[in-house]
Amino acid sequence: MRVLHLEDSPQDHLLVKREFQKSGEPLEILCVENLPAFEQALTATRFDVVLADYRLPGFTALDAWQVMQRLSIRLPFVLLSGAIGETAAVQAIQAGMSDYLPKEDLAKLRHVTQRAIETHRIVLAREHADAELLQSQRQLASFAEQLQLTIEQERAAIAREIHDDIGGSLAAIRFDLAWISRHTLDTTMLTHVDAATEMLQHAVQASQRIMMSLRPAILDQGLAAAMQWLGDSFSRRTGIATQIKAQLQTEQLPKAIQLAAYRTAQEALTNASKHAQCTQVKIDLVGDEHFLTLEIADNGQGMTETTAPQGSGFGLNGLKERAKTVGGWLDVSSHKGKGTSITLSIPLNGQVSQPPDDTRTVAP
């Protein structure tokens, strides 16, 4: 054990040294009497613990503690002093010192010192683990952002292929059917042509719907128009009454934010149709120059702790990560039998606001 002892009494230093030597363990202990020597020792040698008297000529242990803070040296710091008063002891502990031991209790010195060292090691290990966790979270967020970008690029590419290849083929088939219809009088043939034309129309509508889902070109007309189209098409497709309210002071929103809001509404509506067993959905979009809020609420059965992960956990987690990529956050509130509300909040001032600590509430 390497100990730095800040003490102006040679007799007290000798008592401390003898107390450590009782254990028989290897010991290196250096005694210094003033702040310059204390600072020089800290920068020249690596110590395991600092022991310090409280009152020394011209300064106190708090001044020595400030020296360590200035040097960014973190060591367990045990105050070993005579009666200094409760106030001074409390101030020392509040400043960050590890422990306080009166000089008349030297029998406890080894125990207190070892405890301070172990506690310090635990604190450092926890901080290291927290730093690694934070780095991992940042990497995951970066991966999620890159994954979302890749997905959108793939969706756009597939949509273009559907438009160019499948769309062109369907258009050619339409012309051929029209030509057949004009050049035949066979009623059976015309019946088949009409049936084929009807099926072709369904295929065209399906391809358009798929393209719109993959690459929402409707966003070119603004986020409010996109929400209106999304809600109307959802209502027609599912039969669920959908109420859309959009109040935007500006449509000049970054493409990334528009896409995040659109995908959030799209996923929320998909969850509502698959899991909510609802009869009504409300889409509320509000935005000014500082903030954008999108809420999708249904009157369905709600989620519980047991059903939420299986029903929509992965999708919601994906939406939360998508929200983070644009500096926002996602809040999910659900009450059994009273529906579910998904709220996306995005600051528009270029600063990432801090979301509430609890970004998901599932009530029984």
Side-chain angles (χ1 to χ4, degrees):
M1 182 185 297
R2 292 178 294 274
V3 181
L4 179 58
H5 190 195
L6 184 57
E7 176 61 72
D8 64 334
S9 169
Q11 182 179 1
D12 287 348
H13 172 65
L14 183 59
L15 291 174
V16 168
K17 186 175 182 179
R18 288 177 178 175
E19 185 61 38
F20 277 119
Q21 289 174 338
K22 289 180 181 180
S23 66
E25 298 177 356
L27 173 70
E28 295 180 12
I29 182 167
L30 175 64
C31 182
V32 294
E33 299 182 5
N34 52 60
L35 286 180
F38 179 73
E39 181 173 346
Q40 181 180 4
L42 285 174
T43 55
T45 309
R46 180 178 176 274
F47 294 95
D48 296 312
V49 64
V50 174
L51 302 179
D53 195 1
Y54 183 75
R55 291 188 179 88
L56 297 105
F59 67 100
T60 69
L62 291 174
D63 297 311
W65 175 257
Q66 292 299 325
V67 170
M68 290 180 57
Q69 305 309 303
R70 176 170 54 82
L71 296 175
S72 299
I73 295 177
R74 300 183 62 184
L75 289 172
F77 194 107
V78 178
L79 195 59
L80 180 62
S81 182
I84 62 174
E86 182 179 350
T87 301
V90 170
Q91 287 178 345
I93 298 301
Q94 288 179 340
M97 297 183 188
S98 304
D99 211 336
Y100 164 66
L101 180 67
K103 287 185 175 180
E104 56 265 26
D105 291 338
L106 275 183
K108 302 178 182 178
L109 178 60
R110 284 174 292 166
H111 171 71
V112 170
T113 303
Q114 195 63 42
R115 182 179 63 191
I117 293 174
E118 291 300 324
T119 301
H120 184 70
R121 288 175 179 170
I122 292 173
V123 169
L124 292 181
R126 184 174 63 245
E127 291 179 354
H128 180 69
D130 290 343
E132 288 187 337
L133 177 60
L134 180 59
Q135 179 64 22
S136 297
Q137 290 175 338
R138 288 174 177 171
Q139 289 179 345
L140 286 175
S142 177
F143 292 155
E145 183 176 2
Q146 185 61 38
L147 178 61
Q148 294 291 353
L149 177 61
T150 302
I151 290 174
E152 292 299 337
Q153 291 174 342
E154 289 294 329
R155 284 174 169 173
I158 295 173
R160 284 193 297 268
E161 290 184 7
I162 292 176
H163 179 272
D164 296 340
D165 297 339
I166 299 179
S169 299
L170 293 177
I173 294 173
R174 184 195 300 272
F175 288 130
D176 287 339
L177 290 175
W179 185 90
I180 294 173
S181 178
R182 292 194 305 269
H183 292 80
T184 184
L185 298 177
D186 189 324
T187 56
T188 303
M189 180 69 72
L190 290 175
T191 300
H192 285 289
V193 168
D194 290 341
T197 302
E198 183 177 354
M199 293 300 298
L200 177 64
Q201 183 62 29
H202 287 304
V204 170
Q205 293 174 353
S207 64
Q208 291 174 345
R209 185 173 64 252
I210 293 171
M211 283 190 296
M212 186 65 71
S213 177
L214 290 171
R215 184 179 180 275
I218 188 69
L219 283 175
D220 295 337
Q221 302 179 28
L223 185 57
M227 288 298 159
Q228 187 69 45
W229 178 87
L230 191 61
D232 292 342
S233 60
F234 171 80
S235 181
R236 289 193 303 269
R237 187 174 68 256
T238 63
I240 299 174
T242 306
Q243 179 181 338
I244 304 106
K245 179 181 178 183
Q247 294 180 335
L248 293 178
Q249 294 185 9
T250 176
E251 284 286 355
Q252 302 301 318
L253 297 173
K255 291 295 184 181
I257 291 179
Q258 292 190 47
L259 188 58
Y262 182 88
R263 293 300 187 198
T264 298
Q266 191 177 43
E267 179 70 20
L269 292 175
T270 299
N271 288 339
S273 64
K274 289 183 177 179
H275 311 292
Q277 299 182 10
C278 61
T279 59
Q280 185 181 52
V281 172
K282 293 182 179 180
I283 302 175
D284 193 0
L285 178 67
V286 180
D288 54 24
E289 65 272 18
H290 301 296
F291 222 83
L292 178 72
T293 302
L294 170 67
E295 181 181 7
I296 302 95
D298 64 64
N299 64 347
Q301 62 180 350
M303 295 185 295
T304 65
E305 293 290 355
T306 56
T307 61
Q310 292 86 351
S312 54
F314 179 79
L316 292 178
N317 287 332
L319 292 180
K320 289 178 181 179
E321 292 302 323
R322 182 188 287 275
K324 291 179 182 179
T325 63
V326 291
W329 62 89
L330 194 77
D331 177 77
V332 181
S333 177
S334 184
H335 299 269
K336 186 177 181 181
K338 296 184 179 179
T340 300
S341 174
I342 296 177
T343 304
L344 173 66
S345 303
I346 304 176
L348 302 178
N349 54 8
Q351 298 179 355
V352 179
S353 301
Q354 291 298 325
D357 291 337
D358 183 8
T359 58
R360 178 171 181 172
T361 302
V362 178

